[in-house]
Amino acid sequence: QVQLVESGGGSVQAGGSLRLSCAASGSIVNINVWGWYRQAPGKQRELVASIAGSGSIIYADSVKGRFTISGDNAKKMLYLNMTSLKPEDTAVYYCNGVFLLNIGTGNYWGQGTQVIVSS
């Protein structure tokens, strides 16, 4: 199967920066799309940014111009560079991927990493 392990979360003051990393392991034949979601307390999980195997990138309006998603498919690593952080960016950030394996396509989630932005 596939495992996604996030790292890089932490506490930062407003205006600061953090870089999240996601390491994928397992028998991945192809990365269809993967990206970052976040869930703040009392709110639904939402897409932050995603990058398709074709290289197409989507950002949530709330993070455009501040966050940058990048990936190294050969190393099975996904990154989210977050700058100009705001208190409303506080959430648990999850790595998600839709991967083609030998047994078919599956949707996988990491365990999440906490980001806290203080004002």
Side-chain angles (χ1 to χ4, degrees), residues 6-116:
E6 303 99 332
S7 61
S11 296
V12 65
Q13 288 193 326
S17 301
L18 284 173
R19 189 190 195 208
L20 305 183
S21 299
C22 173
S25 61
S27 302
I28 298 171
V29 174
N30 188 58
I31 297 173
N32 291 3
V33 59
W34 56 343
W36 295 93
Y37 286 72
R38 66 186 181 188
Q39 187 166 19
K43 295 188 176 181
Q44 289 190 331
R45 192 172 297 189
E46 63 176 0
L47 174 69
V48 176
S50 66
I51 181 167
S54 63
S56 176
I57 292 175
I58 295 174
Y59 290 104
D61 287 343
S62 59
V63 307
K64 283 180 181 176
R66 300 188 298 121
F67 290 11
T68 303
I69 189 171
S70 61
D72 185 333
N73 288 357
K75 295 183 178 179
K76 298 180 187 174
M77 292 293 300
L78 184 70
Y79 305 98
L80 184 68
N81 193 44
M82 306 186 293
T83 64
S84 301
L85 283 161
K86 304 175 181 180
E88 50 264 43
D89 295 318
T90 294
V92 177
Y93 284 70
Y94 297 92
C95 180
N96 168 264
V98 178
F99 305 121
L100 174 65
L101 312 180
N102 287 328
I103 58 173
T105 299
N107 186 27
Y108 299 91
W109 292 91
Q111 82 287 351
T113 185
Q114 178 75 57
V115 171
I116 298 173

